[in-house]
Amino acid sequence: MKQDTQSMTNDEHNDGVLLPIGEVSALTGVNAVTLRAWQRRFGLVIPARTPKGHRLYTSENIQEIHEINTWLAKGVAISKVKPLLMSAAKSLSIEMVETQVVDLWGEQITALNAALFDFNQHKLQQILDDAFGLYPFQLVKEKLLQPWLNQLDDLVDERLDAELILAWLKSELLSRVGGRYAFTGQAVAARMAVVQLTRGAATPPNSARTKSLFSLILSLELASLRVSVIDLGEQAIDSLPLLQGRLNVDALLLIPDPNHSGSEQTEMLTVLAQMSFPCRFVGPFVPTLISLSAFWAPSMTDLIGQIPSRSVGKVNRSHKGKGKSIGVSQSEQGNSGENNDIS
């Protein structure tokens, strides 16, 4: 290991609070794998170390992480950030900063589409590994996942192999979510179930596809937040009361169809009032449920924050249930050699 870290001394410990990597991750939205990668590959955010080698971060480290996130949000690649953190760079003109900006995400979307249409598993997973390993999940979601999947529906709409492509993509993304890491050694932040609501009338194909693609992003996001998820697939609203007393979850996330009728929304309200656990609507069609706005979900981070703290233990990797049990993405495992790097 490179000697690029500080040693923690008593004086440093007494000067201020030093936080472990897990707390820093929760505070900044940058997961531990990414923080280690920034340090190892780019010499960014170098923490102190305990005598046993565990990372401890100072307030200056945390400020550096916030500055890095600011540059990344502007489109600067992580490999270009370090010079911009120097004190001399604080007064850089907009024009000078723009020279550091590349169409990183546009290039990644083009590469993902090429890998997808060729069913190139290695290339698809490599692109996603790099994105999830080097950038905060929320940034990847906003800049890569949502734009990519939003335009995908139009790209495959008239292809004869459209359903094959989407089925393959779903399999590949869920394989990340259900990776072998499966929260090993970490407490689960929450347990949630996800249901795609179906209407009495048939759901238009495009809407069904939109819901399916959104559910993939949702699964990846929940995995990044250490949420154990039960995917209950497509269900009618009147089937939800059958879960009462049988499903041990902190929340039920409902992905609605577009244009639910007034009578359907009234039925939803009646059903939701009976449920013993919180039920929240998520997805692109939520704004159409005006009469159910009280049940719209906040951000996933805020929703987890509203769940009372409880000791939920660790996920049993051999757990079997009615739905699919979803763990964390493979990117949370880190790249080769990371598992031996002490936290």
Side-chain angles (χ1 to χ4, degrees):
M1 180 182 296
K2 295 180 181 179
Q3 299 300 316
D4 60 353
T5 60
Q6 309 168 51
S7 295
M8 185 187 73
T9 67
N10 288 333
D11 287 341
E12 288 171 323
H13 183 79
N14 292 332
D15 283 343
V17 176
L18 296 173
L19 298 178
I21 197 168
E23 291 186 31
V24 172
S25 177
L27 188 63
T28 63
V30 181
N31 69 46
V33 170
T34 299
L35 289 174
R36 295 188 195 104
W38 286 358
Q39 178 189 344
R40 188 181 60 259
R41 295 179 58 177
F42 307 108
L44 296 169
V45 196
I46 300 174
R49 294 272 192 169
T50 69
K52 291 185 177 181
H54 295 285
R55 291 173 172 83
L56 290 174
Y57 292 80
T58 65
S59 58
E60 289 78 10
N61 291 144
I62 294 170
Q63 178 60 33
E64 183 180 351
I65 295 170
H66 289 315
E67 290 182 19
I68 292 171
N69 281 340
T70 298
W71 289 118
L72 297 181
K74 292 178 179 179
V76 178
I78 186 62
S79 59
K80 306 285 188 181
V81 165
K82 190 170 184 177
L84 299 176
L85 298 177
M86 305 300 180
S87 57
K90 302 295 183 182
S91 59
L92 283 175
S93 67
I94 294 176
E95 292 77 10
M96 293 179 68
V97 172
E98 286 176 347
T99 65
Q100 303 291 334
V101 176
V102 295
D103 187 15
L104 170 69
W105 304 111
E107 293 172 359
Q108 297 291 70
I109 289 172
T110 299
L112 282 170
N113 283 334
L116 175 62
F117 295 147
D118 289 341
F119 285 12
N120 188 331
Q121 180 187 49
H122 174 73
K123 185 62 176 176
L124 183 84
Q125 297 291 0
Q126 182 183 53
I127 295 168
L128 294 176
D129 280 342
D130 286 344
F132 289 129
L134 294 179
Y135 296 91
F137 179 85
Q138 288 301 321
L139 185 68
V140 176
K141 174 186 172 182
E142 176 188 343
K143 299 292 188 180
L144 181 64
L145 291 178
Q146 288 180 332
W148 174 42
L149 296 182
N150 285 345
Q151 52 86 59
L152 192 56
D153 194 42
D154 290 335
L155 289 181
V156 304
D157 192 36
E158 296 183 1
R159 292 180 63 118
L160 294 176
D161 58 353
E163 296 308 317
L164 285 174
I165 288 173
L166 294 176
W168 184 82
L169 173 62
K170 183 175 182 179
S171 174
E172 289 301 309
L173 292 184
L174 288 180
S175 75
R176 299 185 64 82
V177 175
R180 68 179 181 272
Y181 189 84
F183 301 120
T184 300
Q186 295 189 52
V188 175
R191 292 192 178 104
M192 298 186 186
V194 178
V195 167
Q196 294 186 46
L197 290 176
T198 57
R199 301 170 59 190
T203 302
N206 284 357
S207 299
R209 198 176 290 161
T210 298
K211 287 168 55 182
S212 181
L213 292 175
F214 170 80
S215 72
L216 292 176
I217 296 179
L218 179 64
S219 294
L220 290 168
E221 179 172 12
L222 292 174
S224 76
L225 295 170
R226 295 185 294 108
V227 174
S228 175
V229 178
I230 300 173
D231 183 355
L232 294 175
E234 295 185 349
Q235 303 292 337
I237 187 67
D238 58 9
S239 68
L240 298 186
L242 300 176
L243 299 173
Q244 291 283 66
R246 304 167 70 186
L247 193 63
N248 179 23
V249 295
D250 297 297
L252 177 63
L253 303 181
L254 306 170
I255 305 175
D257 270 342
N259 304 318
H260 282 282
S261 67
S263 61
E264 287 175 328
Q265 293 189 43
T266 299
E267 181 185 4
M268 290 179 187
L269 184 60
T270 301
V271 169
L272 297 181
Q274 302 172 15
M275 303 304 287
S276 59
F277 39 72
C279 299
R280 295 291 180 266
F281 290 105
V282 295
F285 304 127
V286 167
T288 66
L289 304 178
I290 298 175
S291 64
L292 294 165
S293 59
F295 293 93
W296 294 3
S299 71
M300 289 301 104
T301 301
D302 290 343
L303 182 59
I304 293 171
Q306 294 171 5
I307 294 172
S309 240
R310 70 184 181 116
S311 177
V312 291
K314 299 175 184 178
V315 171
N316 185 340
R317 289 164 58 182
S318 62
H319 173 73
K320 297 178 182 179
K322 296 290 184 182
K324 297 177 183 177
S325 181
I326 298 178
V328 295
S329 65
Q330 291 174 349
S331 64
E332 291 295 307
Q333 301 171 40
N335 298 322
S336 177
E338 281 189 4
N339 291 336
N340 293 325
D341 195 6
I342 297 174
S343 294

